[in-house]
């Protein structure tokens, strides 16, 4: 079965500094990977996805993610953090074996950007 | 384009009671999935409906059941509520199922916060 690990419960960064939120995955076959963001008392908003092609994927709000097949990682990055980026971030992998389009999520990483 | 809407936003129930949560899918989306997000955890897949039939289920007991209607809206029903059912319940819609939909993201509603006392 596929799985996702987000090793950090919380990431702290100062505004203007680059940020990285880590994600590693385990799948059989080719990975379909996603990042979502969740603001307090809200649902999940789609940020970006990796399906195939270029290892650097660009998404919404200036975020990007780097796919590394040898390290089975899909880290989320942003060159310059904003206070408004503070939220809960989830990495997810598509279940390729079930025959239906569900996602398996990591436990989430809280990003706190200080002014 | 109308997004995914869920109702109610908050709900308080007593252990042993039954609850129904509702979801309207995004315009044009024919597949609805339900997820349970316990406090401090990532969303866990409950089940998925496509063309009014359940076509996938996660590790949840039969007291979790659902429906999908011809307009693709959906309900999640939970019987015999337990304290551990307290969570944020998220509905997500997408277009299609199977390999044709693997590269499409799910679109989530804002969820229903269920508290069981």
């Amino acid at each position: 079965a596929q799985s996702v690990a987000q090793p950090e419960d919380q990431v702290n960064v100062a505004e203007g500094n680059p940020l990285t939120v880590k994600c590693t995955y385990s799948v059989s076959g080719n990975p379909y990977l996603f990042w979502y963001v969740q603001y307090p008392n809200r649902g999940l908003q789609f940020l970006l996805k990796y399906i195939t092609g270029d290892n650097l994927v660009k998404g919404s709000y200036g975020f990007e993610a780097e796919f590394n097949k040898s390290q089975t990682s899909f880290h989320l990055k942003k060159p310059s953090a904003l206070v408004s980026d503070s939220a809960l971030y989830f990495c997810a992998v598509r279940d390729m074996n079930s025959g239906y389009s569900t996602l398996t999520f990591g436990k989430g990483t809280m990003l706190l950007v200080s002014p | 384009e109308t997004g995914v809407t869920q109702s109610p936003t908050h709900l308080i129930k007593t252990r042993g009671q039954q609850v129904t949560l509702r979801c309207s899918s995004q315009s044009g989306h024919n597949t609805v999935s339900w997820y349970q997000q316990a406090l401090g955890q990532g969303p866990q897949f409950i089940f998925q409906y496509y063309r009014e039939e359940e076509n996938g289920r996660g590790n949840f007991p039969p007291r979790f059941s659902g429906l999908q209607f011809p307009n693709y809206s959906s309900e999640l029903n939970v019987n015999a509520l337990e304290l551990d059912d307290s969570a944020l319940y998220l509905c997500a819609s997408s277009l299609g199922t199977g390999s044709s939909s693997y590269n499409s993201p799910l679109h989530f509603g804002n969820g229903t916060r269920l508290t069981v006392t």
Side-chain angles (χ1 to χ4, degrees):
Chain A
Q2 72 285 343
S3 64
V4 171
Q6 294 182 242
E8 304 153 316
D9 291 335
Q10 185 169 305
V11 170
N12 297 297
V13 65
E15 189 173 32
N17 284 357
L19 69 87
T20 298
V21 182
K22 296 179 180 178
C23 171
T24 58
Y25 65 89
S26 175
V27 298
S28 56
N30 294 322
Y32 284 48
L33 298 160
F34 300 79
W35 275 101
Y36 283 83
V37 60
Q38 185 177 37
Y39 296 97
N41 299 314
R42 301 293 296 273
L44 277 66
Q45 296 180 26
F46 168 71
L47 279 178
L48 51 78
K49 65 181 179 183
Y50 173 83
I51 305 301
T52 187
D54 195 348
N55 289 342
L56 186 63
V57 178
K58 295 190 182 297
S60 305
Y61 313 119
F63 283 93
E64 56 191 27
E66 186 171 11
F67 172 70
N68 187 315
K69 188 173 183 178
S70 63
Q71 297 184 5
T72 61
S73 67
F74 188 55
H75 300 333
L76 182 69
K77 301 183 178 187
K78 189 174 183 181
S80 179
L82 299 173
V83 172
S84 57
D85 292 330
S86 298
L88 187 57
Y89 290 81
F90 290 98
C91 182
V93 62
R94 180 81 82 190
D95 183 344
M96 301 296 290
N97 297 318
S98 66
Y100 45 90
S101 55
T102 187
L103 293 174
T104 298
F105 288 87
K107 62 178 176 60
T109 298
M110 178 64 71
L111 173 66
L112 293 177
V113 182
S114 56
Chain B
E1 182 179 86
T2 305
V4 178
T5 58
Q6 293 186 242
S7 62
T9 55
H10 295 83
L11 203 52
I12 300 175
K13 289 286 188 178
T14 302
R15 189 172 50 184
Q17 286 187 317
Q18 179 266 343
V19 68
T20 297
L21 310 182
R22 294 178 175 82
C23 171
S24 293
S25 61
Q26 181 166 314
S27 177
H29 285 182
N30 57 11
T31 302
V32 173
S33 305
W34 286 91
Y35 287 79
Q36 181 196 65
Q37 185 181 9
L39 196 62
Q41 300 296 319
Q44 298 290 317
F45 174 66
I46 303 175
F47 47 54
Q48 177 177 275
Y49 278 81
Y50 174 64
R51 293 183 175 178
E52 302 178 52
E53 291 190 1
E54 181 183 302
N55 76 334
R57 171 177 278 265
N59 190 26
F60 281 81
R63 59 189 185 85
F64 285 78
S65 63
L67 286 172
Q68 186 180 33
F69 301 99
N71 66 354
Y72 305 132
S73 66
S74 177
E75 288 182 354
L76 164 64
N77 299 289
V78 186
N79 294 321
L81 283 167
E82 301 177 358
L83 296 179
D84 285 348
D85 295 334
S86 295
L88 180 68
Y89 288 85
L90 296 165
C91 171
S93 73
S94 57
L95 183 61
T97 187
S99 59
S100 65
S101 65
Y102 286 162
N103 64 351
S104 299
L106 301 182
H107 297 261
F108 285 85
N110 286 335
T112 294
R113 174 72 63 188
L114 173 64
T115 302
V116 182
T117 62

